[in-house]
Amino acid sequence: MKLKQNEVVALEDGTKLVVESLLGAGGQGEVYLVSMNGAKYALKVYINEVKPEFKKNLKSLIDRGSPAETFLWPKRYFEYEGKVGYLMDLRPQNYVSFTKYVNGDEKAQFKNKFIMVKWCISLCTSFKKLHEKGYSYQDLNDGGFFLDPNTGDLLICDNDNVTADKNNLGIQGIIKFMAPEVVRKEMNPDTHSDRFSLAVVLFMALCKGRPFEGEKLKDYEIMDEQAIFEMYGKNPVFVYHKTDRSNRPIRGYHTALIKKWLSIPIYIKEAFHRTFVDGLTDRENARTTEIEWNKFLCKYRDEVMSCPYCQSDYIYGFEEKQPNKICPYCGKPTKDVCVLHVGRHRIVLDLGKEIFRHHLDKYSDDYCTPVGRVISNKNNPSLWGLRLALPQEVVVRDVTGKEKIFAGNGVILLARNLTIQFNNTTQGEIE
Amino acid sequence: MIEFFNKTNVGFSHLKTGKPCQDFSVSYHDETRTIVAVCDGHGSDVYIRSDRGSKFACQAIIDAFKSVRSLVLYGKPKEQVLNKIKMDILCRWNALVEQDLEQNHIGKKEIEMLSERDQFRLKNNPAKAYGTTLNGAMILGKYLLCVSLGDGGIFGVKKGVVTPILEETSDETVANYTYSMCSEDAYYHIHVDFYNIRDYDGVFLCTDGIINPYQNLPNFAKSFILPVYTELANGKRENVNDWIVRLGEKTGYGDDVSLAVMFRTEANRRLYQEARYQ
Amino acid sequence: MAETIQGNDTEKPVWKPDRMDEKIAKQRLNVILMVDCSTSMRGERIGQVNHAIHDIKQYLTDLQNENVNVDFYLTVITYSTEAFLLNHDRMKAVEEFDFKDIRAGGWSNLHTAYLQLADLLKKEAKGGIMPDFGGVAPIVLLLTDGHPTKWPLTEEMEILNKLPWFKVAIRYGIAIELNDGRTVQVLRDFVGENGDVITCFDAKLLEKIIKIIVMTASKVKSSDSTTTQGIGQNTENQVTNDIRQQIQQTISDDIDSWEWQDD
C-alpha cells in the first residue's frame, strides 16, 4: 500500500488530507477514503511511476473541469513525497457497477426497460459532451460505469485516461471493448474508436451479451491471447451479421442475448449492424454517433410498454413488420393504449411513461427532463391522465372542437382524438 | 480390450398410446476409442419431436467425442478443455435441430392438438420440440470421459462397488422435471469430466426408465447393475437384451428404456464371472 | 450417502447380485393430508373429516388394486397447538395404514404443519419421503375450517417454496364450512398456481374431490425445467387444469343435493 491509515498527506496548496481506509486497488492505482476539511473524498494514488505527459494531462483535465455531471472527474491534483494521484468525489452508495448488471447480479438489474434506456441515453449524452470538449475517453469498458438501478442515473469513473482526441498516453483499453483497428495496433484510440466501444457497451446493456462472441467460441480449444486477438481484432464477425452466420449466438448458452435481441426494435438492430459490420472498414462515417444513438434510444423509450399479465416490458412495434398484438413473453393480448403523436415522435401512453423536453422542442437536446407523466386516478385507477410539468398553460381540444385550458401542472384525462397545444409551435394528437 | 453394449426399447405406455420410442442409444468403436451414449426425449405433449432430439443428442456426443484428440492436458487449464467439449456438443445438437427445422418446418398438423400456451412456447423456441436429456461416455487411451445433462445417469463399477458419476445434485430435477438440451440455459447444466480408466472396471449409462423402478442406489446396484455386468462378463448378451425388452414392455414404469455399457475385459473378469444369482 | 455394495480385495466376489427381475417397485404416489384438529373443528366438522379419511383409505386401496402403475402411500399430519404425524407413521402403504379417529382441541398452528411438511418433501437420502430416483409429484391436501393462529405465514411459506418437491406438488386447500376471507387467502397462498381452494360442505363431496385429484394426478409425463420458467410455475399446468375442470363438474353435479339456506 502506498499510504497508511491515519497518515496525513497534503495537496499542492498545503490542504491536509487524512487517510482513513483503502477503498480499492487496480492495475493502475489504489483508491483511498480521505477526509479534507471535514468532508470525505476519494484519493487515487498511482502505483507506478507517472510520466510527465500523464501528469500534464491530468492537470489539464482538472483545470478544464468535467464535461458533465455524470463524470466522477478529477477535482484536485495530488503529488506528495513522490506519490502522484488526484482527489475526486466519493461514489454514492446507491450506485452499482455495470459489470454486476451484465453478470446478472439480482441487486444490479434496472427496475424496468424504461429506466435502462434512460441510463443508455445518459451514457450517449455524456460521451457527446466529452467529445464536444475535444476529448476522447480511450478506455471504455464495463468497469468504469455505474448505475442506480431504480432511477437509471449514470456515473462514469476512471476518467484519468481521458485526453485530447488523437493524443495517446499509452492506454489502449480492454480488448473486448476496443475497436478492431486498435486491437490490431494499426491506430491509437480516438473519438471514432470511442464510438465503437460505446456501441459495445450499449450492446451489453440492451442485449446482455458481447457483439463478437458467438459460435466461433467453439473453434478455440482455450481462449488465450491469440484466440481473443482473432475474435476481436483480426476477424471480428458480428453475432447478428445479416449474411455471415458463422458467429451466431449459441442457443442454450447465450440465453439472455438471444432473448433480448428479439425484443429490441429494428432501428436499434440496424444501428448495431452498421457499427459492427460497416464500421469495421469505414470507421469515420459508418459508426453510429452519439446523436444518432440518442435519437434511436428515445424512440425506443417512447414505444416501451408493459404487459398487464406478466409485467414484462416490450415495444409497441411502430417500425416492425407488424405491431405487437400479443406480448412476446406470455402470448397474452397487448393492452389497448393511447399513442401521443408530437412532431415525429410517437409516445405510447402507458402508466408511468413520460414525455420529455426534446419531444416539445425539436432544437432541444435535453432528453432527460420530463415535462409530463402518465398517472392513474386514485379513486378510479382505470382512469389515466397526463400530469404536466410545464411553465405554461396548454390548450386541449376534443373531437367536437370544444377547448379547455389546463394549468402547466394540470392533469389531462387521456382520451383518443384529443389535440394538445403545448406551446406556440408544438401540437400533439392522441390516437 | 474394451467391450461395449447398448440397447433401447420402447416402454409399454408408449406402445399403448402409439407414441414412438423417444429414447435413443448408440455405441461407436475404432482403434483409438470407444463411445457409448443414451438419450431420453421428453414425453410431454409440447415435445413433438423429442424422438429426433434424442437421436441428435447421441449423434452430437459421438461427433464431439470423436473430435477430441487427446485428454492429456499438456498444461492447458482443465476447465477450459471441458468447457470446449460442452460447447461442442451443444453447438452440434443445435445445428442438427436447425437443419431438421429447415428441412421440415413445424406444420399446423403437428401442433394443432397442443394448447395455445404450448403452441406459443414452440413458436418462441422451436428447439423445444426436440427436448432431450443426454448421457455419454468415452474411453480414450487411459481416460474415461463422461458427459451428462438431465435425468438418467452414469454409474461406474469397480470390484462390485457401484458409484454414480457426474451425479445431478441439483434438487430441481424432481418428479418428471429434468434439465434438457432445449433449455434456454442448457450449457450451464451440462456436466462433463474425465477420469483415469483404472478407477473403473466398467461404466453403465441408463435413462430414467431403467433407474426409476429401483428407487434408490443400493437396490439399483444389487438388482440391476451387478446382475447385468455379471451376465455381460459371462458373454450372455442375449439375456441382457431380452431383459431390457421385458423391462420396457412389461415390468418397468412404462417409460422407454435405454442402457449402454462399456467395460474392460481384463478388469476382474473372474470376479464378475464367478458372481452368480442368489 | 446411499449405501453401496462392497467387494473386497481378493478375486472372489463376496456379493451376490439379485436376479435382474427382482425388486422393481411400482411408482410411489405420496398422498399427504394436513388436517386441522383445532378446537373449532370439534363436533360435526372433525366428524366429517374422520369419515372422509376412513373412506379415502378404502378408496385408495380399491384404486390401487385397479392400478398396475402406482402404489399409494399415505401420510397424515394433524395440527392444532403442535403438528404430529398420525400414528407417527410417515409414508405408510395405504393398505397398511391404520386410521384412528382424530380428536380436535387446541390452537390452530398451521405453521407447525408447514414445517412438518417441509421435512417430508425431501429425497429419502436427505430424510424425506420422496424417492431418490424419479418419482411422481405428491398430492398434498390441506383441510381446515378456520384461520390460523399465527398469521401471516411468510417465513414458513418461504421455506416450503424453496423445496422443489413442494413446487411440483399438486396442492389443494379444502375449506370445511368456512367463509372467512383470511383463511381463503391463506389457502390460496398455500396452493399457489399448482392447485385450488375448494369450499366443501360434506364428506361425500370431499371424497369425490379427493378421488378426482388422485386419479388425475397419477398421469404425468416428463418436462424440462428451465431456470427462467421455474419448476411448477407453468401457469397452465395441464394436470391442474384437468383436475379443476373435473372438480367444477363434480360440484355442479352435486348442487341439487345441497341444502339451500334461506337468507
Side-chain angles (χ1 to χ4, degrees):
Chain A
M1 272 172 48
K2 285 273 182 185
L3 301 175
K4 297 191 198 75
Q5 198 176 19
N6 299 322
E7 188 176 340
V8 178
V9 294
L11 297 172
E12 278 187 330
D13 66 357
T15 310
K16 298 241 186 304
L17 309 172
V18 179
V19 177
E20 295 199 8
S21 61
L22 177 70
L23 289 173
Q28 222 184 4
E30 295 167 342
V31 181
Y32 294 89
L33 174 66
V34 298
S35 54
M36 179 180 82
N37 298 331
K40 304 251 191 266
Y41 295 90
L43 177 72
K44 181 169 178 179
V45 179
Y46 295 103
I47 297 171
N48 300 317
E49 199 190 315
V50 176
K51 292 183 182 159
E53 317 83 86
F54 191 91
K55 284 186 199 175
K56 186 179 167 194
N57 185 70
L58 186 55
K59 287 178 182 171
S60 169
L61 292 178
I62 292 166
D63 289 339
R64 294 189 72 201
S66 171
E69 293 172 348
T70 47
F71 289 92
L72 204 60
W73 201 252
K75 280 176 104 76
R76 302 280 294 271
Y77 181 73
F78 171 78
E79 189 161 3
Y80 184 80
E81 292 179 2
K83 303 176 194 72
V84 176
Y86 61 89
L87 193 75
M88 59 182 157
D89 287 329
L90 278 174
R91 190 175 71 235
Q93 301 275 8
N94 52 310
Y95 284 88
V96 295
S97 80
F98 180 65
T99 313
K100 284 191 171 167
Y101 161 75
V102 171
N103 289 339
D105 187 316
E106 268 180 36
K107 293 188 182 144
Q109 301 309 303
F110 288 107
K111 195 162 116 180
N112 54 45
K113 218 163 245 184
F114 192 74
I115 295 290
M116 178 187 70
V117 176
K118 179 185 168 188
W119 185 87
C120 293
I121 292 172
S122 294
L123 186 69
C124 295
T125 308
S126 304
F127 275 91
K128 179 169 171 289
K129 290 184 177 166
L130 183 88
H131 292 155
E132 275 171 359
K133 269 202 145 181
Y135 288 131
S136 64
Y137 192 83
Q138 304 200 0
D139 187 17
L140 262 125
N141 64 80
D142 55 347
F145 303 121
F146 292 81
L147 56 111
D148 182 323
N150 294 314
T151 61
D153 288 340
L154 162 73
L155 208 54
I156 304 171
C157 303
D158 293 342
N159 298 297
D160 44 352
N161 294 313
V162 170
T163 186
D165 190 31
K166 305 294 185 275
N167 191 22
N168 185 255
L169 301 169
I171 290 294
Q172 298 289 295
I174 293 181
I175 288 188
K176 291 184 180 181
F177 292 83
M178 282 156 62
E181 67 274 10
V182 178
V183 174
R184 296 191 299 265
K185 295 192 179 3
E186 289 165 9
M187 304 200 66
N188 279 327
D190 60 6
T191 50
H192 299 297
S193 63
D194 271 359
R195 288 199 179 107
F196 190 92
S197 306
L198 175 65
V200 174
V201 174
L202 287 173
F203 190 86
M204 289 173 74
L206 296 176
C207 302
K208 286 259 185 96
R210 293 185 188 278
F212 298 101
E213 189 181 281
E215 206 165 318
K216 279 190 184 289
L217 273 176
K218 72 167 181 14
D219 296 339
Y220 300 100
E221 185 90 45
I222 50 171
M223 286 305 288
D224 55 11
E225 269 184 40
Q226 180 61 25
I228 292 177
F229 174 76
E230 283 178 19
M231 278 189 80
Y232 293 91
K234 189 173 163 193
N235 184 23
V237 176
F238 179 43
V239 288
Y240 282 110
H241 195 297
K242 283 178 187 169
T243 51
D244 185 347
R245 298 175 65 91
S246 64
N247 198 25
R248 281 286 184 270
I250 299 171
R251 194 212 58 79
Y253 181 66
H254 295 117
T255 315
L257 168 52
I258 292 172
K259 255 193 167 156
K260 289 190 182 288
W261 179 259
L262 289 174
S263 69
I264 62 173
I266 185 84
Y267 42 86
I268 301 262
K269 287 177 184 161
E270 292 287 344
F272 280 129
H273 194 274
R274 198 153 57 86
T275 305
F276 295 136
V277 177
D278 305 327
L280 293 180
T281 43
D282 185 359
R283 63 191 302 272
E284 296 199 11
N285 297 301
R287 293 177 183 175
T288 311
T289 63
E290 296 87 355
I291 295 178
E292 287 172 317
W293 275 123
N294 272 343
K295 193 174 86 183
F296 297 138
L297 289 167
C298 287
K299 247 208 278 194
Y300 183 13
R301 183 177 58 178
D302 289 345
E303 62 170 326
V304 166
M305 52 193 285
S306 70
C307 175
Y309 301 96
C310 68
Q311 280 73 54
S312 303
D313 294 324
Y314 61 100
I315 55 169
Y316 188 90
F318 291 120
E319 295 190 25
E320 308 306 304
K321 281 190 187 142
Q322 49 189 351
N324 280 316
K325 293 207 170 90
I326 58 170
C327 170
Y329 297 99
C330 69
K332 298 273 189 342
T334 296
K335 65 183 162 199
D336 188 27
V337 281
C338 297
V339 176
L340 173 66
H341 295 253
V342 184
R344 55 183 158 77
H345 305 289
R346 285 176 288 191
I347 306 141
V348 171
L349 295 176
D350 196 5
L351 204 58
K353 287 293 290 288
E354 291 172 309
I355 56 175
F356 297 90
R357 201 162 272 166
H358 76 102
H359 286 132
L360 305 188
D361 178 358
K362 65 180 178 184
Y363 299 110
S364 168
D365 63 357
D366 183 351
Y367 305 108
C368 296
T369 305
V371 294
R373 184 183 160 85
V374 178
I375 58 173
S376 67
N377 185 284
K378 275 183 202 162
N379 297 323
N380 185 354
S382 62
L383 280 180
W384 293 359
L386 180 65
R387 156 82 74 197
L388 301 169
L390 290 167
Q392 72 278 357
E393 290 171 341
V394 303
V395 178
V396 178
R397 192 169 56 250
D398 70 15
V399 69
T400 65
K402 203 165 126 189
E403 283 188 4
K404 188 175 175 184
I405 297 174
F406 286 83
N409 60 357
V411 181
I412 304 170
L413 184 68
L414 290 183
R416 290 200 159 85
N417 303 314
L418 288 183
T419 306
I420 307 174
Q421 193 69 39
F422 288 103
N423 54 43
N424 290 338
T425 51
T426 311
Q427 183 178 279
E429 282 176 26
I430 298 182
E431 277 179 12
Chain B
M1 193 178 118
I2 307 293
E3 284 191 39
F4 55 94
F5 170 90
N6 73 283
K7 173 75 182 164
T8 289
N9 207 79
V10 66
F12 61 73
S13 68
H14 286 209
L15 283 173
K16 245 198 286 186
T17 55
K19 247 189 171 169
C21 180
Q22 288 162 323
D23 271 18
F24 202 88
S25 66
V26 73
S27 46
Y28 170 86
H29 176 79
D30 65 27
E31 57 273 10
T32 57
R33 69 195 75 211
T34 308
I35 307 170
V36 292
V38 301
C39 301
D40 176 4
H42 306 318
S44 291
D45 294 338
V46 69
Y47 306 101
I48 51 177
R49 294 182 178 179
S50 64
D51 53 324
R52 291 181 226 187
S54 56
K55 184 176 167 194
F56 294 159
C58 284
Q59 188 64 49
I61 291 172
I62 298 282
D63 292 343
F65 279 6
K66 274 163 83 174
S67 73
V68 174
R69 284 188 300 246
S70 164
L71 287 164
V72 179
L73 291 174
Y74 295 116
K76 286 178 277 195
K78 185 179 181 186
E79 204 189 320
Q80 284 206 30
V81 171
L82 295 177
N83 286 345
K84 203 241 159 188
I85 295 173
K86 279 165 59 166
M87 185 77 72
D88 199 10
I89 293 173
L90 180 63
C91 288
R92 287 178 192 273
W93 187 82
N94 284 342
L96 288 167
V97 165
E98 239 184 77
Q99 190 181 53
D100 192 67
L101 281 168
E102 265 169 48
Q103 290 168 359
N104 311 285
H105 295 298
I106 293 180
K108 276 194 182 148
K109 276 206 166 153
E110 261 183 293
I111 60 170
E112 63 191 359
M113 298 304 288
L114 298 181
S115 68
E116 259 185 53
R117 170 134 180 96
D118 280 347
Q119 289 187 27
F120 178 75
R121 286 165 81 194
L122 273 185
K123 193 176 163 217
N124 272 359
N125 179 17
K128 205 166 212 37
Y130 300 79
T132 179
T133 66
L134 173 156
N135 286 288
M138 170 172 74
I139 294 177
L140 172 66
K142 61 175 187 175
Y143 293 104
L144 168 69
L145 173 68
C146 295
V147 65
S148 181
L149 165 76
D151 61 26
I154 305 178
F155 300 87
V157 186
K158 177 80 175 176
K159 289 187 181 168
V161 175
V162 177
T163 347
I165 298 177
L166 294 180
E167 198 174 7
E168 176 58 69
T169 51
S170 156
D171 277 339
E172 299 265 330
T173 54
V174 295
N176 54 316
Y177 286 93
T178 173
Y179 291 121
S180 171
M181 287 297 279
C182 74
S183 299
E184 288 169 343
D185 54 353
Y187 172 86
Y188 300 98
H189 301 293
I190 300 175
H191 302 294
V192 64
D193 207 346
F194 62 86
Y195 313 87
N196 191 316
I197 189 55
R198 298 218 166 272
D199 292 344
Y200 301 103
D201 302 333
V203 62
F204 280 65
L205 284 69
C206 312
T207 56
D208 68 339
I210 298 244
I211 301 172
N212 288 350
Y214 295 92
Q215 302 206 357
N216 58 62
L217 182 61
N219 194 29
F220 185 52
K222 200 157 180 261
S223 307
F224 180 85
I225 301 245
L226 293 175
V228 168
Y229 200 167
T230 308
E231 290 292 84
L232 291 175
N234 283 288
K236 306 255 173 70
R237 298 165 80 94
E238 270 313 304
N239 286 0
V240 176
N241 204 69
D242 291 344
W243 182 53
I244 298 292
V245 172
R246 234 175 19 252
L247 189 62
E249 293 180 3
K250 283 195 184 133
T251 58
Y253 279 174
D255 201 357
D256 299 328
V257 291
S258 290
L259 168 71
V261 183
M262 289 190 293
F263 59 97
R264 299 184 295 125
T265 46
E266 72 280 11
N268 299 308
R269 191 185 194 104
R270 243 184 40 161
L271 195 73
Y272 293 97
Q273 283 178 334
E274 285 191 11
R276 287 288 183 267
Y277 306 132
Q278 284 175 332
Chain C
M1 187 60 203
E3 178 200 333
T4 52
I5 313 296
Q6 295 281 345
N8 66 18
D9 285 337
T10 65
E11 279 288 318
K12 264 189 154 3
V14 294
W15 82 91
K16 292 289 181 196
D18 293 340
R19 290 202 167 273
M20 290 189 285
D21 285 358
E22 285 177 9
K23 304 223 176 136
I24 292 173
K26 286 203 276 181
Q27 294 233 51
R28 183 198 308 162
L29 201 165
N30 276 306
V31 179
I32 303 171
L33 304 179
M34 296 166 69
V35 180
D36 180 353
C37 54
S38 58
T39 305
S40 60
M41 286 287 286
R42 272 184 183 155
E44 283 151 5
R45 291 178 187 179
I46 200 68
Q48 281 182 12
V49 171
N50 281 328
H51 180 80
I53 297 179
H54 272 293
D55 287 350
I56 286 167
K57 184 204 141 137
Q58 183 59 51
Y59 197 72
L60 286 177
T61 312
D62 292 341
L63 249 188
Q64 184 157 288
N65 292 335
E66 294 161 25
N67 188 327
V68 296
N69 297 322
V70 166
D71 283 335
F72 295 112
Y73 285 79
L74 202 46
T75 309
V76 178
I77 302 172
T78 60
Y79 72 93
S80 53
T81 310
E82 285 179 61
F84 295 103
L85 296 175
L86 191 66
N87 302 333
H88 302 289
D89 280 333
R90 39 168 38 207
M91 199 182 73
K92 198 85 177 172
V94 72
E95 64 274 7
E96 293 168 13
F97 186 80
D98 184 24
F99 181 69
K100 294 186 174 27
D101 283 351
I102 301 169
R103 290 173 189 275
W107 292 2
S108 183
N109 286 339
L110 178 57
H111 64 284
T112 59
Y114 282 4
L115 295 174
Q116 189 74 252
L117 180 67
D119 280 339
L120 294 176
L121 292 179
K122 294 175 185 165
K123 290 185 178 179
E124 276 185 273
K126 291 188 178 169
I129 63 171
M130 306 310 299
D132 295 339
F133 293 151
V136 176
I139 298 169
V140 185
L141 306 174
L142 170 57
L143 295 91
T144 181
D145 75 331
H147 55 71
T149 320
K150 181 192 171 195
W151 189 80
L153 294 156
T154 328
E155 217 178 287
E156 290 80 10
M157 279 309 304
E158 244 186 71
I159 293 171
L160 283 175
N161 279 324
K162 281 191 181 135
L163 298 173
W165 276 117
F166 181 77
K167 289 186 216 174
V168 302
I170 296 169
R171 291 166 257 147
Y172 274 80
I174 298 174
I176 314 275
E177 292 188 27
L178 88 128
N179 49 18
D180 180 303
R182 181 162 119 182
T183 308
V184 171
Q185 187 54 53
V186 166
L187 290 174
R188 284 208 190 287
D189 289 343
F190 178 75
V191 303
E193 298 285 338
N194 242 22
D196 237 335
V197 175
I198 299 157
T199 311
C200 178
F201 292 96
D202 65 45
K204 242 191 154 167
L205 185 59
L206 174 65
E207 188 193 306
K208 267 196 190 172
I209 288 166
I210 290 168
K211 170 184 176 177
I212 292 166
I213 291 169
V214 166
M215 275 188 69
T216 319
S218 61
K219 305 171 200 163
V220 264
K221 293 174 199 151
S222 64
S223 291
D224 71 295
S225 59
T226 60
T227 51
T228 46
Q229 199 175 303
I231 288 181
Q233 285 169 21
N234 187 347
T235 54
E236 292 189 18
N237 182 298
Q238 194 53 45
V239 172
T240 310
N241 279 343
D242 286 348
I243 293 173
R244 269 193 184 126
Q245 278 174 13
Q246 291 189 57
I247 288 174
Q248 289 304 324
Q249 191 66 39
T250 298
I251 291 173
S252 59
D253 282 349
D254 259 22
I255 214 154
D256 288 339
S257 67
W258 293 351
E259 280 181 15
W260 290 98
Q261 285 194 346
D262 293 327
D263 287 327

